[in-house]
Amino acid sequence: MKKIDKERLLLGIAAPVLALLAAFVVTSLVLLATGKQPFDAFQIMGSYGVKSDSQVYILNKATTYYLAGLAVAVGFRMNLFNIGVDGQYRLAAFAAAVVGGMVNLPGILELPLIIIVAMLVGAMWAGLAGLLKVGRGVSEVIATIMLNAIATAIISYLLQPGRLAHLDANTNSVHTTVLPKSGWFFTFTTNPAAGPIEGFIVVAALAGVAYWFVLSRTRFGFDLRTVGQSESAAQASGVNVKRMIVTSMLVSGACAGLVGMPTLLNESHQYATDFPAGIGFTGIAIALLGRNNPGGIAVGALLWAFLDRTSNWLEFNGYDKEIVGVMQGVIVLSVVVAYELVRRYGLGRQQRRVGEQLAAAARNTAKQEQEAAI
């Protein structure tokens, strides 16, 4: 049985604890500066967040956030900053909605078709940034930002009556053809009063397991982490760095293609002008919060969804809704700073320990030489 490294475990726990404490203190000071009582605000958030309907909302919202966090984390592990998840998932969801609305297959074929189309489009859009990076040396940050804008323009052009969308005369909204019932994902209900839990949470959980397995238990995952830590060392060991960059962007984009599926398959069943945007940027914060670990990303997604849920209730009770945005920003900054401080502390302790061991070995060697001379 592998012995648990208690010091490493304590350092791992210390970082998130310090981050949450720092976020609590800073948020409390902001609330006090606005003339509000921080403990009252936290009590309001806690009591509302544990209600059954709030729990369902948090789980459903966290499903989308989790997938966005995974998509960003794949790039982060490769030392790539895929800031284009937002454009990738919206273009993927639009294409999937169009294809799904054009056919009416049995559910066993319709649902996989929609999901596969979304993953392929997301992978293709992210792959363009990978090809630009390895082929022309274009930063993936610049490329993905530009591709976000292009994706928005493509959707705006095609989401018009007479092209790939229809005008609803009753609501005056523009949307793609509604998916057939065979293209609706399942839901399950534990409490009818709280509403249904979206079944895509199962897919999100499987995606998290796949992320962990591929990165931790496969050669591809080892190569990806190696390139992320040192491209020169990876290349010297025989890894094709350029191919890994393109492949990682394809995987990240495929995962990004899943981000819009909970909304499309469980909620709207069509792509309209009010389809949610900005989730890709939230995924960046959640990946940072979870330190690119599937379990940590899940906790970050749940925390983010909890804060989203309670923001409106805070406003209803006389608090500024923007205070939740302050909380989210402070939490992310606190996590980044806390992990860096703990990393440096752990590295310093390790270096001191190695120095002590080397000094002890030198003393033993000198002692043995003296004894041999006598």
Side-chain angles (χ1 to χ4, degrees):
M1 185 176 179
K2 187 177 179 180
K3 187 177 179 180
I4 297 176
D5 188 341
K6 293 183 179 180
E7 183 176 342
R8 186 175 180 181
L9 179 63
L10 288 173
L11 288 175
I13 296 173
V17 170
L18 285 174
L20 289 176
L21 286 175
F24 175 80
V25 171
V26 173
T27 304
S28 297
L29 292 175
V30 172
L31 285 169
L32 287 171
T34 60
K36 304 291 185 180
Q37 291 297 323
F39 291 102
D40 291 343
F42 296 141
Q43 190 274 331
I44 290 170
M45 293 173 67
S47 61
Y48 186 66
V50 298
K51 292 180 180 293
S52 57
D53 57 339
S54 293
Q55 292 176 4
V56 171
Y57 175 93
I58 290 168
L59 285 175
N60 290 339
K61 198 75 171 178
T63 299
T64 302
Y65 287 163
Y66 184 67
L67 291 168
L70 287 181
V72 175
V74 171
F76 279 170
R77 294 300 292 269
M78 182 70 184
N79 204 23
L80 294 172
F81 195 21
N82 182 9
I83 204 172
V85 169
D86 200 71
Q88 291 153 23
Y89 90 78
R90 287 187 291 111
L91 187 63
F94 175 73
V98 170
V99 173
M102 287 180 174
V103 297
N104 189 0
L105 303 173
I108 196 171
L109 297 176
E110 180 85 13
L111 284 171
L113 174 65
I114 293 172
I115 294 172
I116 290 171
V117 167
M119 294 180 70
L120 287 175
V121 172
M124 176 202 71
W125 208 243
L128 291 176
L131 290 173
L132 287 171
K133 183 175 180 67
V134 301
R136 308 300 299 177
V138 180
S139 168
E140 74 278 6
V141 176
I142 302 299
T144 50
I145 289 175
M146 295 298 101
L147 287 170
N148 278 347
I150 295 172
T152 300
I154 291 173
I155 294 171
S156 298
Y157 176 77
L158 295 177
L159 192 66
Q160 297 290 337
R163 291 176 182 158
L164 295 178
H166 312 281
L167 176 64
D168 190 327
N170 295 323
T171 62
N172 204 31
S173 65
V174 179
H175 59 80
T176 59
T177 304
V178 178
L179 298 177
K181 288 292 182 68
S182 59
W184 295 20
F185 215 78
F186 71 91
T187 60
F188 50 93
T189 305
T190 56
N191 181 356
I197 298 174
E198 295 172 0
F200 215 80
I201 192 173
V202 177
V203 177
L206 292 175
V209 173
Y211 171 89
W212 167 81
F213 181 80
V214 171
L215 265 67
S216 303
R217 296 291 185 269
T218 66
R219 174 61 187 270
F220 171 78
F222 176 78
D223 290 346
L224 185 146
R225 288 181 284 113
T226 302
V227 175
Q229 292 172 2
S230 174
E231 288 189 11
S232 58
Q235 194 161 9
S237 64
V239 178
N240 188 327
V241 174
K242 290 186 176 181
R243 186 174 64 186
M244 285 301 301
I245 290 173
V246 175
T247 305
S248 298
M249 288 300 292
L250 289 172
V251 173
S252 179
C255 192
L258 295 174
V259 173
M261 293 300 97
T263 302
L264 179 64
L265 301 180
N266 276 125
E267 297 175 19
S268 64
H269 309 298
Q270 61 189 13
Y271 192 104
T273 50
D274 60 350
F275 198 84
I279 299 173
F281 300 106
T282 302
I284 295 173
I286 291 171
L288 288 171
L289 192 59
R291 302 299 292 178
N292 303 324
N293 179 281
I297 294 171
V299 174
L302 289 169
L303 175 61
W304 217 264
F306 169 82
L307 293 173
D308 280 354
R309 176 63 172 177
T310 55
S311 62
N312 291 327
W313 193 243
L314 273 179
E315 186 178 26
F316 181 79
N317 283 272
Y319 289 83
D320 294 325
K321 183 179 179 180
E322 289 74 17
I323 194 64
V324 171
V326 173
M327 283 187 198
Q328 292 171 332
V330 169
I331 287 172
V332 173
L333 288 175
S334 299
V335 165
V336 172
V337 173
Y339 271 97
E340 181 61 21
L341 290 175
V342 170
R343 186 190 70 82
R344 292 187 179 185
Y345 175 79
L347 183 61
R349 281 185 61 87
Q350 186 178 19
Q351 289 173 342
R352 287 193 296 271
R353 184 182 299 171
V354 171
E356 291 171 357
Q357 291 173 350
L358 291 174
R363 286 194 298 269
N364 290 334
T365 302
K367 184 177 179 181
Q368 290 173 1
E369 289 177 352
Q370 289 176 356
E371 292 175 350
I374 296 172

